[in-house]
C-alpha cells in the first residue's frame, strides 16, 4: 500500500465500504455506493483513509460474485488480518468519475446548490443528500428551517444547472419541517 501525504482529500470521493470477511484466505465483501455494481469494477485505483492520509489499496482482485462484490488485498492472506482492515471506506479520485449528461449531477455536486421552485422562490441550499429507503431526499436549509425534497427526476426535480449552481424543483415553500 502506497502512502501519499500531500494529497488533498477533497479530490477523493467514497464509492464503497469494506464489509465482512469471506472465507479464510483474506477475501471480503465490498458494499458499493454506486447505482450499478459494475461501476466499482471499472475503476483502477482505490484508496482508504489512514491517520489523515490517503493510502492506496493494492487489490489482488475485485470481482462480482452472485450480485455481490468480493475483493482481496494483495498483502493480506489471512481472515484475521482482513478483520482488522474491515469497515474501512474505499475512495477513488473524483477525476476518474465518468462525465454525466447535461441535466445530471453527482450527489456531492448537489451539496450547497441553491434550490429554486417553479414560482421563482429561493427555498434554500442543499445541505446533503439522504436516502431513507424509498428514494433519495435533498435536505435543504434556509434560516434555521429544514425542507426535505424527494429526488424524483422529471416530477419534483425539474432540472439541474451546474453552471448556475441551482436546482429547479416543483415544490412549495411552505412544506417546511419545524426544527426541534
Amino acid at each position: 500500500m502506497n502512502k501519499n501525504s500531500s494529497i488533498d482529500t477533497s479530490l477523493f470521493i467514497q464509492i464503497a465500504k469494506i464489509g465482512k470477511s469471506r472465507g479464510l484466505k483474506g477475501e471480503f465483501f465490498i458494499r458499493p455506493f454506486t447505482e450499478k455494481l459494475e461501476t466499482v469494477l471499472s475503476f483502477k485505483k482505490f484508496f482508504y483513509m489512514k491517520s489523515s492520509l490517503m493510502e492506496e489499496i493494492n487489490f489482488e482482485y475485485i470481482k462480482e460474485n452472485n450480485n455481490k462484490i468480493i475483493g482481496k488485498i494483495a498483502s493480506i492472506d489471512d481472515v484475521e488480518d482482513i478483520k482488522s482492515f474491515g469497515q474501512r471506506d474505499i475512495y477513488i479520485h473524483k477525476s476518474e468519475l465518468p462525465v454525466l449528461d447535461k441535466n445530471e449531477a453527482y450527489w456531492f455536486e448537489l451539496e450547497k446548490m441553491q434550490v429554486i421552485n417553479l414560482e421563482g422562490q429561493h427555498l434554500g441550499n442543499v445541505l446533503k443528500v439522504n436516502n431513507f429507503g424509498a428514494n433519495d431526499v435533498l435536505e435543504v436549509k434556509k434560516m434555521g428551517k429544514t425542507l426535505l425534497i424527494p429526488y424524483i427526476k422529471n416530477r419534483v426535480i425539474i432540472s439541474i444547472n451546474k453552471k448556475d449552481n441551482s436546482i429547479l424543483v416543483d415544490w412549495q415553500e411552505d412544506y417546511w419541517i419545524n426544527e426541534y
Side-chain angles (χ1 to χ4, degrees):
M1 297 185 203
N2 302 324
K3 292 181 181 175
N4 195 336
S5 59
S6 62
I7 293 271
D8 179 2
T9 57
S10 70
L11 300 174
F12 295 85
I13 186 164
Q14 182 183 2
I15 59 148
K17 188 174 204 74
I18 293 178
K20 64 181 181 176
S21 60
R22 176 183 184 264
L24 301 173
K25 301 206 177 189
E27 287 184 331
F28 53 88
F29 291 99
I30 296 175
R31 295 183 314 202
F33 300 141
T34 57
E35 190 174 353
K36 299 174 185 169
L37 289 179
E38 57 269 12
T39 303
V40 173
L41 303 174
S42 70
F43 298 113
K44 305 293 182 236
K45 286 187 173 187
F46 299 91
F47 301 85
Y48 75 99
M49 182 73 74
K50 182 178 180 183
S51 303
S52 73
L53 302 174
M54 280 295 185
E55 193 167 316
E56 186 174 346
I57 303 170
N58 295 317
F59 282 106
E60 188 172 310
Y61 57 82
I62 298 178
K63 61 185 179 182
E64 187 176 346
N65 185 335
N66 296 328
N67 285 334
K68 296 189 185 286
I69 298 179
I70 296 171
K72 182 172 179 327
I73 297 174
S75 61
I76 296 179
D77 295 316
D78 181 79
V79 68
E80 293 305 317
D81 291 339
I82 198 58
K83 282 181 182 177
S84 66
F85 200 83
Q87 301 305 313
R88 292 186 192 242
D89 298 330
I90 299 175
Y91 299 84
I92 60 161
H93 283 281
K94 286 181 181 175
S95 62
E96 283 195 61
L97 292 169
V99 176
L100 298 176
D101 292 335
K102 183 180 177 186
N103 196 32
E104 295 183 329
Y106 289 105
W107 287 165
F108 72 88
E109 293 176 314
L110 297 177
E111 292 176 2
K112 298 182 183 165
M113 279 191 172
Q114 59 181 332
V115 179
I116 311 291
N117 69 8
L118 293 174
E119 289 77 28
Q121 297 168 315
H122 180 262
L123 301 180
N125 291 51
V126 177
L127 179 66
K128 61 183 170 180
V129 182
N130 295 302
N131 186 304
F132 299 116
N135 52 274
D136 295 312
V137 176
L138 300 179
E139 185 177 328
V140 178
K141 290 276 190 181
K142 182 179 181 181
M143 298 187 324
K145 293 185 176 182
T146 301
L147 180 64
L148 299 178
I149 302 175
Y151 194 93
I152 303 171
K153 225 169 169 192
N154 302 323
R155 186 167 169 201
V156 176
I157 306 298
I158 305 304
S159 65
I160 298 169
N161 188 328
K162 289 193 251 185
K163 191 175 188 178
D164 291 341
N165 199 38
S166 66
I167 303 168
L168 181 64
V169 298
D170 186 1
W171 204 252
Q172 296 303 309
E173 186 176 40
D174 58 352
Y175 294 170
W176 293 105
I177 295 175
N178 292 327
E179 293 293 301
Y180 48 91

